[in-house]
Amino acid sequence: FPFECRLDDLIIATWTNRPESLPDIDTVVARAREVSEQANPEQLWSTVMNLPQWYFISDPATSTDPMVGICRDQPCALVFTDPVRARRYAEMIDPTCHAEGSRLIALSPSQATWWFRTLAARGIAGAIFNDGPFAFFTPIGQVTAPVDAVRSVA
């Protein structure tokens, strides 16, 4: 190839051309917080489950595992609702990751649900979606619920 292109760059290029029909997650989180301090009402979860992809940053030590943070004194996988946010967070915590490339993992919500089942067996207690003022926590029981059951609740 006449140019160098990393997988992360392709994922982000795809996202910048995303359909306008995708929701603004920050707005959905803000609305959810008006209703509940947990920021996890049914509408928020339904919206997140209907996204085409969830994005994870691979752990530098084990590239097949997601990065983990601590929330409520328990280990939680870091999940992002768009690749730009994921890349920005990865570069903030490890500026060398931009040079490494291919640190993003993109999974559909149903694939992520199955992955979370294996992570739960290894002690992951939940998921922290996004970062900053619009971050929200979801317990592992909700993340690992069957997709159809979660959608039928919303």
Side-chain angles (χ1 to χ4, degrees):
F1 290 101
F3 57 91
E4 183 180 327
C5 186
R6 298 181 318 246
L7 180 60
D8 286 7
D9 295 328
L10 292 174
I11 291 171
I12 289 173
T14 301
W15 178 260
T16 57
N17 296 314
R18 75 184 191 283
E20 290 299 318
S21 61
L22 289 178
D24 177 2
I25 294 298
D26 292 348
T27 301
V28 177
V29 170
R31 280 192 211 130
R33 287 194 176 141
E34 291 173 4
V35 176
S36 166
E37 288 297 315
Q38 296 286 328
N40 215 3
E42 294 171 2
Q43 180 62 44
L44 172 59
W45 188 241
S46 176
T47 301
V48 170
M49 286 300 295
N50 283 304
L51 291 171
Q53 302 283 312
W54 291 354
Y55 301 89
F56 301 82
I57 304 166
S58 65
D59 187 306
T62 310
S63 64
T64 56
D65 285 340
M67 290 194 76
V68 172
I70 301 296
C71 182
R72 301 179 183 186
D73 296 325
Q74 297 180 336
C76 296
L78 302 178
V79 188
F80 298 87
T81 55
D82 71 68
V84 175
R85 256 184 238 248
R87 163 81 67 81
R88 192 178 325 127
Y89 188 81
E91 290 174 349
M92 179 186 73
I93 61 172
D94 180 9
T96 65
C97 80
H98 185 72
E100 295 172 13
S102 301
R103 292 275 307 274
L104 295 184
I105 300 169
L107 297 174
S108 70
S110 60
Q111 291 171 319
T113 296
W114 285 104
W115 193 30
F116 268 104
R117 289 178 182 168
T118 64
L119 295 173
R122 293 171 29 207
I124 297 298
I128 303 168
F129 280 84
N130 297 328
D131 65 321
F134 297 103
F136 59 97
F137 167 80
T138 303
I140 199 72
Q142 187 166 9
V143 179
T144 59
V147 173
D148 293 336
V150 172
R151 286 190 179 147
S152 68
V153 172

